[in-house]
Amino acid sequence: MKRNLSTVLVLGLVLAFLIGPFLIIIAASLSAGNSLAFPPQGLSLKWVAKVFTVESFRESFATSMFLAVFGTLAALALGVPAAYALNRYRLPFSETVRTVVSAPIIVPGIIVGLALLRYLVIPAGVPVILALFCAHTALVLPYAVRVVSASLGNLRSDIEEAAVLLGCTRSGAFFRVVLPNIRGGILAAFILGFVTSFNQVPVSLFLSGPGVRTLPIDMLGYMEINYDPSVAALSALLAFMSIGIVFIAERFLGFSRYV
Amino acid sequence: MFQNRREGLALALPAAVFACVVFLVPVAILLSEGFRGAAGFSLTPYVEFFSSALNRAVFLRTLKLGALVTLVAAVIGYAAAYAIVNLSPANRGRVFGLVVLPLMISPVARTYAWLVILGRTGFVNQALTLVGLTDEPIRFLFTETAVFIGLLQLFLPLMIISLISALENMPRDAVPAARVLGASWLQVFTRVILPLTKEGLVIGGTLVFTGSLTAYITPAILGGSKVLMLETLLYQRVTVANDFASAAVIAMILIVMSFSANLLLKRLARARGR
C-alpha cells in the first residue's frame, strides 16, 4: 500500500510536469481576454479562429507542409536505395557511407543552416526555398536510412534471391517482393520524418527570405511582437495535428515497432 | 547478400553524394573559418573567442546547465522509470504513452507554455500572489532557472525511455532478493539497480546532455539575451556582429561535443553486442 502511494505520487508529479504545460496552452488558447494569461479570462474560440485569418501563418504553414512532405519524400528516395545497398550488398567503404548519410543527426541544425546560407545561398545564388528543401532533406535522411534499414533487417533476404532464381529481374524483385514487405517501415519513416521536419527550428533559422519562412520560425517572430493567445491556439492546433498523425499511425501500423 | 559491388554502390551513392554536397562540404568550409588567420592557418579565432569573458561565461553556462539538466533528469528518471516498470501492463502502456506524448509536440509550443506559466502575469505568479507569498510578481523569465526548467521538460522523456528499457532488462528478482537479504533502499540502488542499468543511464544521459547543449528554442525564448547559451550566442554572433570566425569556433565546440557523445554511444552499443 505504501509502495503504491509513492508510485502514484511520483508518476503524478512527473506527468504534471511533462503534460501540464500542454494543458495550460490549450486553456490559454480558449481565453476570451486579449493578453496571454492563465487562468483564462472567460471562454471563447476567437483566438483559435484568428489563427486561420493571419496571412503569414497561412503562408508559413504552406511552406512547412511543402518542406515536410517533399523533403521527407526526397529523403526516402535517396535513403531507401542506400539502406537497401547497405543491407544487401557487401560494399567497400560501407561504414563510411553509413557515417556520411547519418552525419546530419550529429551536427546541430543551426550549423547546417548557417553553412548552407553562407556557401550555397549567398555565393551561388541558390534560392532560399531550395536551400531549405535540401536542409530538411538532409535532416530527415538519417531517420529514413535507419528506419528502413531496421525493417530490411527484419526481412529475410532469401525471398528476393528466390524471386531472382525464379526468373524475376533484380529490380522487379525489389519492387514486387521487397517493397511491399517493407511498406510499413517506409510509412513509419515518412511519419517520423514529417514530424521531425515540421517541428524543426534551428535548421531554418538562417534560411529565411522574403515570403519564405517555416511555421515555427514565423511563430517565434510573432511572439516577439505580440503577446496575445493566438500562438497558444496555433501551438495547440499543431500539437493535436502531430498527436493525431502519430495516433493514427500507431493504430494502423504499430508505428512504435519501427522507431 | 549480393556480390555485385557496382550495383550496390550505384544505389548507395546518391544519398552519400547528396549528404556530402549539401551537408559535409558546407559544414567543413564553415569549420575551416575557425582556423583562418590573416596569413593562412592560425588558431587566432580560438584564442580570441576564449579570451572574451562573456564567451567563456556562455561556454561554462552551457556545460553547467547541460550537466545539471542531465543530473536532475537522471534522478527523476530513475524514480519515474521504476514506478512505470512496476505498473500493471495495461497502465504501463498508458503512462508510457503520456510520457512520450510531449516528444510529438513542437518544441516551440512546449517552450511557449512556460511563458504562460512563468511570466509576470503567469500561473505561478498569480498563485503566489493569491496565497499571499509575494506582493510583487517574481521574475522567472530570462533567468537560468527558467532555461533549466524548459530544458528539463524537453529532454526528461528521453531519459525515462532509456531507463525503462534498462530496468526491463534487469533480472526481475534482483531487487526483492537484495531487500530480503537486508539491503536498505539506498544500498539496493547503488549496489544493484545502478550497476545493472548503467548502460541505459549512459544512453539517456548522452541524449539529454547533447540535447541540452544544442537546444536553440528554449534558451532563446526563456533565456533571451540575458541567459545566452552556445547556440543562441552563435545566432547572435552571426546576425548582430557578422562575426563568422566566432560562429565557426562555436560550431566546432558543438560538433566536437555532440560527436564525442555519439562515439561513446557507438562504443557502448558495440560492447553490448559482443
Side-chain angles (χ1 to χ4, degrees), chain A residues 1-24:
Chain A
M1 196 58 215
K2 197 174 135 257
R3 277 279 302 287
N4 264 334
L5 193 69
S6 58
T7 301
V8 169
L9 198 68
V10 165
L11 289 179
L13 285 174
V14 169
L15 289 179
F17 178 65
L18 289 177
I19 309 283
F22 175 53
L23 300 178
I24 283 175

Side-chain angles (χ1 to χ4, degrees), chain B:
Chain B
M1 193 61 98
F2 299 125
Q3 297 296 338
N4 189 338
R5 286 182 173 183
R6 197 176 295 168
E7 207 174 272
L9 276 180
L11 289 171
L13 226 48
V17 170
F18 177 81
C20 281
V21 171
V22 309
F23 175 78
L24 279 185
V25 173
V27 170
I29 303 176
L30 176 69
L31 292 181
S32 76
E33 290 203 34
F35 299 102
R36 214 170 286 164
F41 177 85
S42 110
L43 286 172
T44 328
Y46 283 82
V47 176
E48 270 172 16
F49 181 83
F50 282 105
S51 63
S52 142
L54 171 84
N55 291 348
R56 282 201 306 269
V58 171
F59 177 71
L60 292 176
R61 176 188 295 135
T62 308
L63 285 183
K64 185 184 83 182
L65 275 174
L68 205 61
V69 169
T70 311
L71 190 74
V72 175
V75 174
I76 301 177
Y78 264 113
Y82 193 76
I84 291 173
V85 171
N86 284 313
L87 289 172
S88 69
N91 281 333
R92 193 193 298 191
R94 258 174 241 143
V95 174
F96 186 73
L98 287 176
V99 169
V100 183
L101 181 77
L103 293 177
M104 318 293 169
I105 300 172
S106 154
V108 175
R110 280 202 275 166
T111 307
Y112 182 74
W114 290 109
L115 279 183
V116 188
I117 298 169
L118 300 173
R120 275 181 69 85
T121 56
F123 180 54
V124 174
N125 265 320
Q126 287 194 6
L128 287 178
T129 325
L130 204 70
V131 183
L133 278 175
T134 55
D135 306 320
E136 280 275 287
I138 299 176
R139 229 181 74 136
F140 293 110
L141 290 181
F142 312 124
T143 62
E144 283 190 16
T145 314
V147 178
F148 168 79
I149 292 174
L151 289 175
L152 185 63
Q153 192 227 3
L154 213 52
F155 297 114
L156 181 58
L158 298 177
M159 179 65 94
I160 298 180
I161 294 170
S162 310
L163 289 180
I164 285 178
S165 55
L167 283 170
E168 276 176 342
N169 289 331
M170 207 172 75
R172 286 203 141 260
D173 311 328
V175 172
R179 287 294 286 166
V180 167
L181 292 172
S184 70
W185 274 112
L186 185 69
Q187 282 172 320
V188 169
F189 182 74
T190 54
R191 304 256 184 95
V192 181
I193 297 183
L194 199 59
L196 287 172
T197 55
K198 208 170 52 193
E199 279 180 14
L201 181 65
V202 174
I203 293 174
T206 320
L207 292 174
V208 175
F209 187 66
T210 47
S212 306
L213 290 188
T214 57
Y216 173 79
I217 305 158
T218 304
I221 297 180
L222 297 176
S225 54
K226 292 242 166 56
V227 190
L228 285 171
M229 292 196 25
L230 282 175
E231 287 241 338
T232 38
L233 180 66
L234 189 157
Y235 185 70
Q236 215 195 42
R237 292 279 83 199
V238 171
T239 51
V240 179
N242 245 337
D243 176 1
F244 290 99
S246 291
V249 173
I250 301 172
M252 190 56 135
I253 298 173
L254 289 172
I255 288 178
V256 166
M257 291 205 265
S258 176
F259 188 74
S260 9
N262 269 276
L263 216 59
L264 181 74
L265 278 188
K266 217 178 232 174
R267 187 155 292 178
L268 204 73
R270 209 169 292 151
R272 190 167 44 178
R274 211 171 280 146

Side-chain angles (χ1 to χ4, degrees), chain A residues 109-167:
Chain A
I110 194 170
I111 298 170
V112 181
L114 176 61
L116 285 179
L117 173 75
R118 198 151 155 69
Y119 308 109
L120 214 62
V121 173
I122 295 175
V126 171
V128 174
I129 185 74
L130 184 61
L132 261 182
F133 176 78
C134 290
H136 278 248
T137 304
L139 178 82
V140 175
L141 186 60
Y143 297 100
V145 174
R146 187 192 290 177
V147 175
V148 174
S149 280
S151 67
L152 276 171
N154 290 331
L155 181 71
R156 294 177 51 165
S157 62
D158 2 356
I159 65 162
E160 66 231 56
E161 279 159 20
V164 171
L165 283 178
L166 290 171

